[in-house]
Amino acid sequence: MTRTRDPEQTRRRLLEAASDEIHRSGFQSASLDKILKKAGVTKGALYHHFPSKAALGLAVVNEVVAGKIRSDWVLPLGCCDDPITAIRTTLAEALQTSGSDYVALGCALNNLAQEMSPINEEFRDCCGEVFGEWKGGFADVLRNGQVRGLVRSDIDPESAATFLVAAVEGTVGMMKNAQSLEPGRQSMEMLDAFLESLRPQTPKHSLPVVGLPGAPAGCEDC
Amino acid sequence: MTRTRDPEQTRRRLLEAASDEIHRSGFQSASLDKILKKAGVTKGALYHHFPSKAALGLAVVNEVVAGKIRSDWVLPLGCCDDPITAIRTTLAEALQTSGSDYVALGCALNNLAQEMSPINEEFRDCCGEVFGEWKGGFADVLRNGQVRGLVRSDIDPESAATFLVAAVEGTVGMMKNAQSLEPGRQSMEMLDAFLESLRPQTPKHSLPVVGLPGAPAGCEDC
């Protein structure tokens, strides 16, 4: 057991170890002993920082899982000025960056939301807030695109954002069941077509259904 | 404890009780005692029919869960001749019929697939086969529609089918987290638009993005 005089570092190690163990085993089956062993801290230190296993799990959602969703799926939306290309690029890169994790263990946020939503209101709300931030990221980009005439005015940005998050989470679930990246490739082909269909209808963007390109066309910033 | 001389009925009662308990608690947390109590049979009778908890769980997937997926999502695809309308109608009716179950507990197939795929190969394969049958239903309808000139020839029916199942499962997951039908309504609005975009491009079907209609237009058989 390593004792440290840096409480913040101890807390961070506990959160990282708990995040890893919960991602592998689910919250209910996660072993506190394994978490303590991996973090190299005492049970006393754990309860100093987190009064209960639930408090530790909620902190994992708020601080670790939310951060991963933000860095993979929300912040990269600012990658370029064209909203459709920004979303396509973000989806493709997140699935590429985290694809092997998703195949192995699924999405940490969705795993917890599916396991805990029916049995624990705090977890449900906590996961719901992270989904809300993710959906908000997509909706903001689409709404902003509508103002600038780059996204069809007859679609509801909130509905499209919910659909995008649902499609991503469902796709990650298919990848986890198939233990393969292939469902991700198939879904991305369709998501690209769906996203292109959100452009205002001009001859330039006449709804191509295309294979997965190396990089979305038309973006000079990415 | 009710004793019955009808082994098939006993087996059926065990499967139904197990299906219900697993849907509520997950496979690993499902209580055999609760299943026996609900089915009203002895432990001896359980082990006569199912040599292990895993055998009972796999039979639930193969016989109960697969049957529900088939009756909700695959068989109704024969409801009418127009492939796009058949899929739209099937999605809308399944979400309407099973919506409150999905809000409460999610999709039994996806719950098990997400819980068990990383830790048990038999469950993973078993769930994968049911997903395969479901995707096959969508792919067959789309492929048949391509032959008859009713679906765009430039889309891959397998990719579209994977995407549709992923979008449905992701949407059900959002409904379960939100404890609300609203994500289902939002996703259906987008899925309808996506499905309409799969029609060959003629002025008649020029990619309308519309709100959720009471019933899809253009189908006289449904």
Side-chain angles (χ1 to χ4, degrees):
Chain A
M1 229 29 105
T2 307
R3 288 175 184 277
T4 169
R5 289 178 189 153
D6 182 345
E8 264 316 300
Q9 196 193 23
T10 302
R11 191 175 182 282
R12 172 58 41 194
R13 286 217 306 271
L14 278 165
L15 278 178
E16 280 167 12
S19 167
D20 193 52
E21 168 66 4
I22 291 170
H23 199 182
R24 284 177 195 283
S25 307
F27 175 74
Q28 294 169 96
S29 301
S31 154
L32 282 182
D33 285 342
K34 280 191 190 164
I35 293 169
L36 293 176
K37 191 171 173 190
K38 184 161 185 192
V41 303
T42 62
K43 194 168 270 186
L46 169 67
Y47 287 111
H48 170 74
H49 288 286
F50 304 101
S52 64
K53 187 182 176 188
L56 176 62
L58 291 167
V60 164
V61 179
N62 283 324
E63 300 180 45
V64 184
V65 177
K68 171 85 175 150
I69 294 291
R70 208 170 287 135
S71 64
D72 269 11
W73 300 98
V74 181
L75 297 178
L77 291 169
C79 70
C80 70
D81 262 355
D82 178 66
I84 303 301
T85 306
I87 295 175
R88 285 184 60 179
T89 305
T90 299
L91 298 185
E93 289 189 353
L95 280 174
Q96 190 160 29
T97 306
S98 298
S100 54
D101 273 0
Y102 289 151
V103 166
L105 296 170
C107 167
L109 174 62
N110 205 37
N111 289 355
L112 275 166
Q114 299 314 308
E115 178 190 359
M116 300 302 289
S117 289
I119 57 177
N120 185 304
E121 200 172 335
E122 277 187 296
F123 270 95
R124 187 171 76 228
D125 290 347
C126 194
C127 293
E129 275 175 33
V130 184
F131 278 128
E133 183 178 342
W134 187 358
K135 287 191 282 187
F138 287 144
D140 286 348
V141 168
L142 292 170
R143 203 178 296 109
N144 184 275
Q146 285 179 326
V147 171
R148 293 186 295 137
L150 299 171
V151 171
R152 295 167 56 147
S153 58
D154 60 348
I155 64 123
D156 174 26
E158 306 294 333
S159 295
T162 296
F163 178 64
L164 288 170
V165 171
V168 166
E169 289 294 25
T171 298
V172 169
M174 297 289 108
M175 291 161 68
K176 182 178 166 186
N177 176 250
Q179 294 282 293
S180 158
L181 294 167
E182 179 62 8
R185 191 200 61 75
Q186 293 178 315
S187 274
M188 274 305 296
E189 192 179 320
M190 296 296 121
L191 270 175
D192 279 341
F194 169 75
L195 284 163
E196 288 300 328
S197 80
L198 303 185
R199 293 189 194 275
Q201 287 180 294
T202 67
K204 191 180 165 199
H205 294 114
S206 54
L207 223 212
V209 175
V210 292
L212 239 194
C219 172
E220 292 173 6
D221 302 341
C222 300
Chain B
M1 226 32 102
T2 306
R3 290 175 182 276
T4 170
R5 290 181 188 150
D6 182 343
E8 264 316 299
Q9 198 192 20
T10 302
R11 190 175 182 282
R12 173 55 43 192
R13 285 217 306 272
L14 278 166
L15 279 178
E16 280 168 10
S19 168
D20 193 51
E21 168 67 3
I22 291 170
H23 199 182
R24 285 178 194 283
S25 307
F27 174 75
Q28 295 170 95
S29 301
S31 154
L32 282 182
D33 285 341
K34 280 190 188 164
I35 293 169
L36 293 176
K37 191 173 174 187
K38 184 160 185 192
V41 303
T42 62
K43 194 167 272 189
L46 169 68
Y47 287 112
H48 170 74
H49 288 286
F50 304 101
S52 64
K53 187 182 176 188
L56 176 62
L58 291 167
V60 164
V61 179
N62 283 325
E63 300 180 45
V64 184
V65 176
K68 172 84 175 149
I69 294 292
R70 209 170 286 136
S71 64
D72 269 11
W73 299 98
V74 181
L75 297 178
L77 291 170
C79 71
C80 70
D81 262 355
D82 178 66
I84 302 301
T85 306
I87 296 175
R88 286 184 59 180
T89 305
T90 299
L91 298 185
E93 290 189 353
L95 281 174
Q96 190 159 29
T97 306
S98 299
S100 54
D101 273 0
Y102 288 151
V103 167
L105 297 170
C107 167
L109 174 63
N110 205 38
N111 289 355
L112 274 166
Q114 298 316 307
E115 178 190 359
M116 301 302 289
S117 289
I119 58 178
N120 184 305
E121 200 172 334
E122 276 186 296
F123 271 94
R124 186 170 77 228
D125 291 346
C126 194
C127 293
E129 276 175 30
V130 185
F131 278 128
E133 183 179 342
W134 187 0
K135 287 191 281 186
F138 286 144
D140 286 349
V141 167
L142 292 170
R143 204 177 295 108
N144 184 274
Q146 285 179 324
V147 171
R148 293 185 296 139
L150 299 171
V151 172
R152 295 167 56 147
S153 58
D154 60 347
I155 64 123
D156 174 25
E158 306 294 332
S159 296
T162 296
F163 178 64
L164 287 170
V165 172
V168 166
E169 290 294 24
T171 297
V172 169
M174 295 290 108
M175 291 162 66
K176 181 177 167 187
N177 176 251
Q179 294 281 294
S180 158
L181 294 167
E182 179 61 8
R185 191 199 62 73
Q186 293 178 315
S187 274
M188 274 305 295
E189 191 179 322
M190 295 298 120
L191 269 176
D192 280 341
F194 170 74
L195 284 162
E196 288 300 327
S197 80
L198 302 186
R199 294 189 194 273
Q201 286 179 295
T202 66
K204 191 179 165 201
H205 294 115
S206 56
L207 224 207
V209 175
V210 293
L212 239 195
C219 172
E220 290 173 7
D221 302 339
C222 301

